[in-house]
Amino acid sequence: MSKMTVTEKIGDEYMQWNPRSKIFISAPTGSGKTYFVLHKLLPYAKQKNQKILYLVNRTILKEQLTREISLLPSEIRWRMRIELYQSIENFVLYNRGEELEKLVNEYDYVVCDECHYFLADSNYNTNTCLSFQWVQECFWKKIRVFMSATIEDIREYIEREDAEARFHRTEIYRLRSKYTDSQRVFSGRVWEYTLERCYDYLNVKIITTRDRIIDLACDSNEKWLIFVDSILFGKELEKRIKMKFQELYGQRKDIGKDYEKDVVFLSSGYKRAGGDAAEEVQIIKSDSMQSARVLIVTSVMDNGISLKDDRLNNVVVFADNETEFLQMLGRKRENGKPVNLYIFKWEKEHFERRRDQLSRKEEVASDYMRRLNEANLIVMTPWGQGINWEASNNNERLFVTWQHAWLLKRLLDEENIYDKVKVAFYASKGCLLLNFLSVAQIDKLKVFYNDVIEKFSSEGEDAFVKEQLRWLGKGEKEIEDMIAQSKMTEEIRLSEEICDMINDIIDDQMTKAEAIDFKNRIRDKLLSLVHFCQDSNEKNIVEKSLKKNDRPISDKNMEFLRKKCNLPYKVETSTDGEGKYVFRYTES
């Protein structure tokens, strides 16, 4: 697959970009999107006496870029301003019109880096529609550059917005009429540059349990970057890996007395947390490397950051949609060396839960949308030859006021309503307003989750593993081979680990309580091993029995494990009334 850079792909065509041009750069992380802007477009803008406004979505990324620009010649670096999307949103919210007008008048290009932000973050930061609308409505006469490794969904939204820009709109929700505004017809050329993704450098491994990551990270003296899907899981993982390092302290030379600093967890609250987390961020900003042996992160670092670290050869991604998956993976820059990528085997139930959670969360937004569509806010002139915009805007303001009162009442009267409002509404000028991007993102994820759930029916339990491998460009035959090899390797590993644990107590007489405790210690491994057996009534009975906390492994269940899972043991129970349990080795 192509190793072409963005600079090579665009060539000299950027010199042909004119006001009203719209540029989409769809290229994987590490392909030089930022390099092109800094080292090609910016010097050209200087020649034309022009300036570039560069928008980004993460503070860490802004500070990294600021450092890169500081190394450029002084005569060109002042021609670029880096700003956060969130800062633009605050300018809009707090009526800093002069600042916004200055940006529009001063800059000839707006570069929207990681532009998938508008959609992808919209359920966490419901202000994203404000920066999106500002770019669309204030820079449409200039040159708009949209860049992302996962641009497809937001590009569709941008194209639709531009197509509808020719219609008159109301002032708050931009409800359109059927009448064209000749001043807002988008007539610029669309330029598209797409680079294929190439993940040949990845050695993909499949993990079936979250606990497996603890063993892998602690058994290695290499660096690990672990992306998690929740703060709760991230904190738990940090705690357990530190505990494992504490156990290994003194046994291994690579585990020093400062083992706690070997594990760092980063979330959006790293500034408030201070300590190791804040220090780690500073190192990443300045050196593009992690100092921690094991760095656990949420989506705070899923965009834009570059880790150019030769010692980082292990990346774990817990993500259940393509945008997050590819953005997280892209933080580790390719350096010509193979990288171990660990992907998680999500179960069907996970996607059913996610879909149902979204369905519950969208309840308030859907109700609001229904009311908005039924309100018929557009008022025709009495003679029927146009729109009465004063009346229409007044209707819209009244609608917003009444719906705000309705939302406040629900917030005060109903339990479990806050998250349903927070996921799609933002506060502006004393009113709660709906972010249409938030609704679009929920709809997109629900469609995706439904699609994955259906694939579990047609493709079996490995449906989402296959989906992740397709995102990495793997063909169907290669996918089947990788899954088969992974299962064989995992089955052998589990068998060896279980045998090692049983061998430690072989021929020992255990009380019933001790036997129950032993069963519970190896239960997860046993269940994972049984999972590889073909479905049958006997398998289901054994699984249910193993999951119970109040009984040891019976001789009947052990016989199943011996025959179906190749564990060469039997369980003997004493008949002298003392209730002793003994594991014996058997070759037959």
Side-chain angles (χ1 to χ4, degrees), residues 40-77:
K40 289 294 181 179
L41 190 60
L42 183 56
Y44 177 71
K46 186 249 182 189
Q47 292 178 24
K48 302 283 286 184
N49 195 29
Q50 295 176 330
K51 298 172 73 175
I52 299 173
L53 177 63
Y54 196 115
L55 301 180
V56 298
N57 61 339
R58 297 287 186 266
T59 301
I60 302 176
L61 175 55
K62 179 184 177 184
E63 293 180 7
Q64 267 194 343
L65 283 170
T66 300
R67 184 172 176 272
E68 285 188 49
I69 290 176
S70 70
L71 302 176
L72 297 176
S74 58
E75 65 267 19
I76 66 171
R77 63 175 179 245

XYZ file of all heavy atoms in Angstrom, residues 40-77:
320
model
N 4.791 23.961 3.842
C 4.418 24.265 2.453
C 3.391 25.395 2.379
O 3.600 26.418 1.741
C 3.864 23.009 1.767
C 4.910 21.946 1.478
C 5.917 22.439 0.434
C 6.953 21.387 0.100
N 7.917 21.829 -0.925
N 2.258 25.182 3.059
C 1.177 26.156 2.962
C 1.533 27.471 3.653
O 1.248 28.559 3.130
C -0.103 25.567 3.569
C -1.389 26.366 3.322
C -1.671 26.491 1.834
C -2.573 25.709 4.026
N 2.165 27.401 4.819
C 2.502 28.618 5.562
C 3.521 29.485 4.824
O 3.305 30.706 4.702
C 2.987 28.251 6.966
C 3.304 29.428 7.896
C 2.106 30.353 8.049
C 3.759 28.921 9.270
N 4.630 28.931 4.305
C 5.542 29.768 3.514
C 4.874 30.372 2.281
O 5.160 31.517 1.917
C 6.660 28.791 3.111
C 6.639 27.748 4.174
C 5.195 27.587 4.530
N 3.969 29.620 1.665
C 3.249 30.150 0.504
C 2.330 31.294 0.932
O 2.229 32.323 0.222
C 2.445 29.042 -0.162
C 1.613 29.511 -1.336
C 2.233 29.881 -2.533
C 0.229 29.594 -1.250
C 1.484 30.324 -3.618
C -0.535 30.020 -2.322
C 0.097 30.392 -3.499
O -0.650 30.837 -4.571
N 1.672 31.156 2.069
C 0.813 32.229 2.576
C 1.629 33.486 2.832
O 1.170 34.605 2.574
C 0.113 31.767 3.856
N 2.856 33.305 3.310
C 3.730 34.453 3.538
C 4.034 35.167 2.234
O 4.009 36.403 2.153
C 5.016 33.974 4.220
C 5.934 35.122 4.639
C 7.179 35.142 3.798
C 8.118 36.263 4.237
N 9.246 36.455 3.317
N 4.292 34.397 1.174
C 4.548 34.998 -0.138
C 3.350 35.813 -0.621
O 3.515 36.864 -1.252
C 4.859 33.914 -1.168
C 6.172 33.180 -0.964
C 6.374 32.086 -1.997
O 5.801 32.148 -3.098
N 7.158 31.080 -1.655
N 2.153 35.330 -0.318
C 0.919 35.998 -0.765
C 0.440 37.044 0.245
O -0.642 37.602 0.079
C -0.178 34.953 -0.963
C 0.176 33.852 -1.963
C 0.060 34.313 -3.399
C -1.377 34.441 -3.807
N -1.519 34.805 -5.247
N 1.237 37.287 1.287
C 0.869 38.223 2.350
C -0.452 37.808 3.009
O -1.326 38.623 3.286
C 0.762 39.651 1.811
C 0.750 40.677 2.939
O 1.323 40.452 4.007
N 0.098 41.795 2.710
N -0.584 36.499 3.273
C -1.789 35.942 3.872
C -1.457 35.274 5.204
O -0.296 35.075 5.550
C -2.441 34.933 2.918
C -2.955 35.562 1.625
C -3.502 34.527 0.662
O -3.071 33.379 0.634
N -4.475 34.941 -0.151
N -2.522 34.917 5.950
C -2.339 34.314 7.273
C -3.279 33.116 7.442
O -4.326 33.036 6.786
C -2.598 35.359 8.367
C -1.633 36.542 8.316
C -2.030 37.645 9.276
C -1.765 37.274 10.704
N -2.043 38.400 11.634
N -2.871 32.220 8.350
C -3.595 30.965 8.562
C -4.071 30.855 10.010
O -3.276 31.031 10.938
C -2.702 29.755 8.227
C -2.269 29.783 6.763
C -3.414 28.446 8.545
C -1.249 28.713 6.406
N -5.333 30.566 10.182
C -5.883 30.227 11.492
C -5.958 28.704 11.570
O -6.612 28.064 10.748
C -7.274 30.831 11.682
C -7.994 30.483 12.990
C -7.229 31.004 14.189
C -9.419 31.031 12.988
N -5.287 28.134 12.550
C -5.168 26.681 12.678
C -5.917 26.239 13.934
O -5.532 26.576 15.051
C -3.683 26.309 12.781
C -3.339 24.863 12.539
C -2.567 24.478 11.458
C -3.751 23.861 13.421
C -2.216 23.151 11.236
C -3.418 22.538 13.215
C -2.649 22.188 12.128
O -2.303 20.872 11.918
N -7.007 25.486 13.755
C -7.846 25.069 14.875
C -7.561 23.621 15.256
O -7.468 22.746 14.385
C -9.331 25.221 14.519
C -9.796 26.629 14.141
C -11.286 26.619 13.816
C -9.508 27.620 15.259
N -7.437 23.366 16.562
C -7.188 22.017 17.070
C -8.128 21.734 18.227
O -8.759 22.636 18.769
C -5.720 21.840 17.525
C -4.763 22.020 16.367
C -5.377 22.804 18.657
N -8.177 20.452 18.619
C -9.190 20.038 19.588
C -8.660 19.624 20.954
O -9.430 19.244 21.823
C -10.003 18.868 19.009
C -9.125 17.661 18.716
O -7.917 17.783 18.567
N -9.729 16.492 18.606
N -7.337 19.635 21.154
C -6.778 19.220 22.437
C -5.698 20.209 22.868
O -4.868 20.624 22.054
C -6.169 17.819 22.344
C -7.161 16.707 22.005
C -8.075 16.389 23.169
N -8.923 15.235 22.882
C -10.149 15.314 22.396
N -10.681 16.499 22.137
N -10.866 14.219 22.184
N -5.686 20.549 24.148
C -4.682 21.462 24.678
C -3.277 20.904 24.480
O -2.340 21.642 24.142
C -4.934 21.718 26.180
O -6.243 22.279 26.353
C -3.908 22.681 26.742
N -3.124 19.602 24.694
C -1.808 18.983 24.521
C -1.321 19.180 23.087
O -0.158 19.512 22.845
C -1.858 17.482 24.867
C -2.331 17.284 26.300
C -0.498 16.835 24.658
C -2.511 15.820 26.689
N -2.210 18.973 22.123
C -1.845 19.141 20.718
C -1.498 20.593 20.412
O -0.524 20.883 19.698
C -3.002 18.677 19.827
C -2.858 18.885 18.327
C -1.580 18.246 17.798
C -4.063 18.322 17.591
N -2.260 21.519 20.972
C -1.970 22.935 20.742
C -0.573 23.294 21.237
O 0.188 23.997 20.555
C -3.007 23.812 21.454
C -2.751 25.305 21.276
C -3.729 26.154 22.072
C -3.385 27.638 21.923
N -4.251 28.497 22.750
N -0.213 22.804 22.405
C 1.094 23.133 22.965
C 2.225 22.462 22.183
O 3.297 23.052 22.013
C 1.125 22.738 24.442
C 0.170 23.589 25.276
C 0.181 23.228 26.748
O 1.032 22.409 27.161
O -0.657 23.754 27.502
N 1.982 21.238 21.683
C 2.984 20.600 20.838
C 3.200 21.399 19.546
O 4.329 21.623 19.118
C 2.551 19.172 20.483
C 3.081 18.110 21.424
C 2.919 16.708 20.875
O 2.151 16.469 19.942
N 3.626 15.763 21.449
N 2.103 21.846 18.938
C 2.200 22.603 17.688
C 2.842 23.969 17.922
O 3.623 24.453 17.086
C 0.805 22.781 17.078
C 0.237 21.554 16.371
C -1.220 21.782 16.023
C 1.029 21.230 15.114
N 2.505 24.587 19.024
C 3.117 25.880 19.353
C 4.631 25.743 19.443
O 5.378 26.620 18.975
C 2.549 26.417 20.690
O 1.136 26.580 20.566
C 3.180 27.750 21.047
N 5.071 24.645 20.013
C 6.515 24.398 20.109
C 7.126 24.205 18.722
O 8.212 24.717 18.428
C 6.765 23.165 20.976
C 8.238 22.872 21.220
C 8.400 21.760 22.248
N 9.791 21.406 22.424
C 10.429 20.501 21.687
N 9.782 19.867 20.730
N 11.701 20.234 21.894
N 6.428 23.472 17.847
C 6.937 23.269 16.482
C 7.033 24.589 15.728
O 8.014 24.852 15.029
C 6.027 22.302 15.725
C 6.174 20.856 16.120
C 5.398 19.931 15.202
O 5.533 20.060 13.961
O 4.630 19.090 15.712
N 6.033 25.439 15.869
C 6.026 26.717 15.160
C 7.129 27.629 15.677
O 7.716 28.414 14.913
C 4.641 27.391 15.296
C 3.603 26.617 14.487
C 4.676 28.838 14.826
C 2.207 27.142 14.624
N 7.440 27.516 16.956
C 8.493 28.370 17.529
C 9.852 28.107 16.885
O 10.757 28.937 16.970
C 8.588 28.156 19.039
O 9.116 26.874 19.336
N 9.998 26.945 16.239
C 11.264 26.601 15.593
C 11.341 27.121 14.157
O 12.394 27.016 13.517
C 11.448 25.070 15.600
C 11.433 24.399 16.982
C 11.528 22.888 16.838
C 12.561 24.928 17.853
N 10.228 27.663 13.642
C 10.204 28.192 12.283
C 10.828 29.584 12.240
O 10.909 30.270 13.271
C 8.763 28.254 11.773
C 8.013 26.923 11.633
C 6.570 27.187 11.221
C 8.694 25.999 10.635
N 11.271 30.036 11.059
C 11.812 31.400 10.942
C 10.790 32.436 11.406
O 9.594 32.303 11.175
C 12.088 31.533 9.441
C 12.288 30.128 8.970
C 11.361 29.286 9.791
N 11.277 33.457 12.052
C 10.390 34.454 12.661
C 9.512 35.159 11.639
O 8.392 35.576 11.952
C 11.216 35.492 13.432
O 12.149 36.133 12.565
N 10.001 35.295 10.396
C 9.225 36.044 9.405
C 7.968 35.304 8.941
O 7.092 35.900 8.317
C 10.086 36.385 8.179
C 10.568 35.196 7.367
C 11.936 34.719 7.810
O 12.343 35.045 8.943
O 12.597 34.022 7.005
N 7.855 33.988 9.255
C 6.636 33.281 8.838
C 5.794 32.796 10.017
O 4.590 32.632 9.878
C 6.945 32.098 7.896
C 7.734 31.013 8.631
C 7.648 32.551 6.641
C 7.862 29.736 7.815
N 6.427 32.588 11.179
C 5.656 31.958 12.255
C 4.538 32.847 12.785
O 3.519 32.339 13.256
C 6.567 31.496 13.384
C 7.333 32.552 14.119
C 8.105 31.933 15.295
N 8.874 32.913 16.027
C 10.196 32.918 16.101
N 10.901 31.994 15.476
N 10.821 33.848 16.801
